Amino acid sequence: MIEIETAGGVQVLRLNRPAKKNALTGEMYTALSEALERGNDDPDIRAHLLCGVPGAFTAGNDIADFLQYAMGDGGMADAPVVRFLRALARCETPLVAAVDGLAIGVGTTLLFHCDMVYASPRALFKTPFLDLGLVPEAGASLLAPQRMGHARAFELLCLGEGFDPVRAKAAGLVNHIVAEETIELEALQCAKAIAAKPAEAMALSRRLLIGDRTVLHARMEEEIELFAQRLRSEEAKTAFTAFMAKSQARD
């Protein structure tokens, strides 16, 4: 479900679960985490490319799979998504994303950790956390206002409004809008160009641009704690029950 290929200094991480619109399971999060962590230690990996399948970058968490982890004895501490979020925040290798179609929930928030984001005209960025009685994750409550300004971050994270690629580009979330037929090729060319740059200079320059991550790490841990608390709230239980009922009716 996560296909990984490495060539020319680029590690391509492809989400490939088209039947579920690339909804992310614990197994998929673990594979992504291991790949990002490997990139920190392997000098031959000089850029990551994250991509999905035609029409779906990712629909976000596989809710049923996620709840099995999050509501278990270990709670969020043992959830593979938490390892993935921490791996994103600690990633030392440049990240490029090719977003064609749905980018829901973590499919949007992970992009705040990417250095270059390519989107197709049919991309849709949406974070329905609040509608599920939850709070934002992946450090988005810090990174989104910094990147987009408070007003647009509120629309995205609190109102749950969908952003098309034009609006996402204007907000600073997307670098380039390209046709779905060429998006992966152009994103891969970008990743290869990054990989071809002097590696030490790239690493130092990226570190300077990102700055001190202490505040980001602290905010992410605060989000994780609040997220876990919210999962056990009556609001979230009601919202998830309604969501699962709707999903079962569709199936």
Side-chain angles (χ1 to χ4, degrees):
M1 292 190 285
I2 301 294
E3 297 177 350
I4 301 176
E5 297 180 3
T6 304
V10 178
Q11 181 171 238
V12 179
L13 310 175
R14 180 183 302 281
L15 285 59
N16 190 13
R17 195 189 180 202
K20 294 294 184 179
K21 298 180 181 178
N22 283 345
L24 291 160
T25 64
E27 180 183 353
M28 294 168 75
Y29 277 126
T30 297
L32 289 169
S33 300
E34 290 174 348
L36 293 179
E37 291 161 0
R38 185 165 56 249
N40 291 342
D41 300 322
D42 187 345
D44 292 331
I45 298 175
R46 296 169 67 169
H48 301 293
L49 172 60
L50 299 170
C51 55
V53 296
F57 182 60
T58 173
N61 281 312
D62 181 302
I63 297 297
D65 183 88
F66 169 74
L67 289 177
Q68 285 185 344
Y69 285 101
M71 304 306 284
D73 293 338
M76 288 293 292
D78 292 336
V81 63
V82 169
R83 179 182 175 185
F84 172 66
L85 298 180
R86 290 171 176 156
L88 276 176
R90 290 167 171 77
C91 184
E92 297 294 340
T93 305
L95 284 160
V96 180
V99 181
D100 178 24
L102 296 176
I104 308 301
V106 70
T108 288
T109 58
L110 72 83
L111 300 174
F112 289 109
H113 299 271
C114 292
D115 303 284
M116 294 291 293
V117 177
Y118 288 76
S120 74
R122 61 185 175 187
L124 173 65
F125 307 89
K126 189 175 178 66
T127 63
F129 301 117
L130 195 140
D131 289 339
L132 291 172
L134 304 174
V135 296
E137 35 80 308
S141 64
L142 175 71
L143 298 177
Q146 290 177 347
R147 181 82 60 89
M148 309 168 73
H150 175 86
R152 283 186 288 202
F154 188 90
E155 288 179 283
L156 178 70
L157 298 175
C158 296
L159 290 182
E161 290 192 2
F163 278 54
D164 65 22
V166 173
R167 193 164 184 223
K169 186 173 186 291
L173 183 60
V174 167
N175 296 87
H176 300 290
I177 302 171
V178 296
E180 50 261 30
E181 295 84 4
T182 60
I183 183 171
E184 281 195 25
L185 176 61
E186 294 196 37
L188 180 59
Q189 288 175 340
C190 175
K192 287 181 176 179
I194 292 170
K197 300 286 185 182
E200 290 184 12
M202 175 62 74
L204 289 170
S205 298
R206 183 175 185 266
R207 203 169 297 150
L208 286 168
L209 289 175
I210 292 173
D212 185 358
R213 301 192 200 192
T214 303
V215 175
L216 171 61
H217 294 163
R219 177 61 62 86
M220 186 174 286
E221 295 306 314
E222 182 181 5
E223 288 174 347
I224 290 168
E225 182 176 349
L226 288 171
F227 201 100
Q229 293 175 10
R230 293 302 304 163
L231 277 172
R232 289 170 168 77
S233 70
E234 289 304 317
E235 282 184 338
K237 290 176 182 176
T238 299
F240 274 104
T241 298
F243 179 88
M244 296 300 291
K246 184 182 294 186
S247 296
Q248 290 170 359
R250 285 198 301 265
D251 294 341

